Structure formats: structure tokens, C-alpha cells
Amino acid sequence: QVQLVESGGGLVQTGGSLRLSCAASGSISSIVVMSWYRQAPGKQRELVASITRGGSTNYGDSVKGRFTISRDNAKNTVYLQMDSLKPEDTGNYYCRGFGPNSYWGQGTQVTVSS
């Protein structure tokens, strides 16, 4: 089993920044890819960014050039640095760990005011 706990969400103005954290515990050696997803009210959950065990990254088109995913293996933590935030970035952000199984955190709310 893997437990994922997100933190760092909040309210920010357009153009501002936030850094989300996802702390992993448990059988983390089984995790191959760590990802951030988001879900806005009335919309489907979408992939924001992902990072592999080897450090390869991938981003959704809407966040390329503004968001950066990174990981600190010593702390078993994945980060999402979000810059130049827009109102359309508002949503609940979830951390996902993927390996033989898929694990989700409880989510952290990000609200960007115009």
C-alpha cells in the first residue's frame, strides 16, 4: 500500500504562484510514475504533469511553460511549482502514484481569482 498526502493549495490572484507537495509513504518502491491531476467543477479530471522514477517529465498542453514538476527522493516527495496562474487553473489537484497499482491522494484545492 502507498499513502499520498497533498498540501500547498490555497487562494491566489491571477499571475501568482503556488507550490504543491505530495508526500508518499508505504511501499513507494513500487511506484514508477508520479503525477498531478486536477479537476474543475463540472469537468473531467485531467493530467497536469508527471515524472518518472528516472526523472523524465511530461506536461499537459495548458500548463507547459508555467508549471514544473520535480521530486525529492530523499524526502519521498513530489512537487508542482505553479507560476503565472490563471483562473482556469482553479480546481482540486490530486497526486497519483502509478506502478503495479494506482494510488490517489485526497486532493488539495487551488483557487485563482481574477
Side-chain angles (χ1 to χ4, degrees):
Q1 281 283 26
V2 174
Q3 294 78 42
L4 302 173
V5 179
E6 302 98 332
S7 61
L11 174 64
V12 64
Q13 291 186 333
T14 296
S17 297
L18 282 175
R19 189 176 81 154
L20 306 183
S21 300
C22 173
S25 61
S27 304
I28 57 177
S29 61
S30 67
I31 300 301
V32 177
V33 181
M34 292 292 294
S35 302
W36 286 97
Y37 286 74
R38 69 185 180 191
Q39 187 167 21
K43 294 189 177 181
Q44 289 188 330
R45 192 172 294 189
E46 63 172 347
L47 175 67
V48 175
S50 61
I51 186 166
T52 68
R53 184 183 292 166
S56 297
T57 59
N58 183 53
Y59 296 91
D61 288 340
S62 61
V63 307
K64 284 180 181 177
R66 299 188 298 121
F67 290 11
T68 303
I69 189 170
S70 62
R71 62 193 300 163
D72 184 334
N73 291 330
K75 295 183 178 180
N76 296 326
T77 300
V78 174
Y79 303 98
L80 184 68
Q81 177 66 41
M82 306 186 295
D83 300 316
S84 302
L85 282 162
K86 305 175 181 180
E88 50 264 44
D89 294 318
T90 294
N92 211 0
Y93 283 68
Y94 298 90
C95 180
R96 181 193 185 201
F98 182 78
N101 298 303
S102 181
Y103 304 94
W104 292 90
Q106 82 289 350
T108 185
Q109 178 67 35
V110 171
T111 303
V112 185
S113 63
S114 57

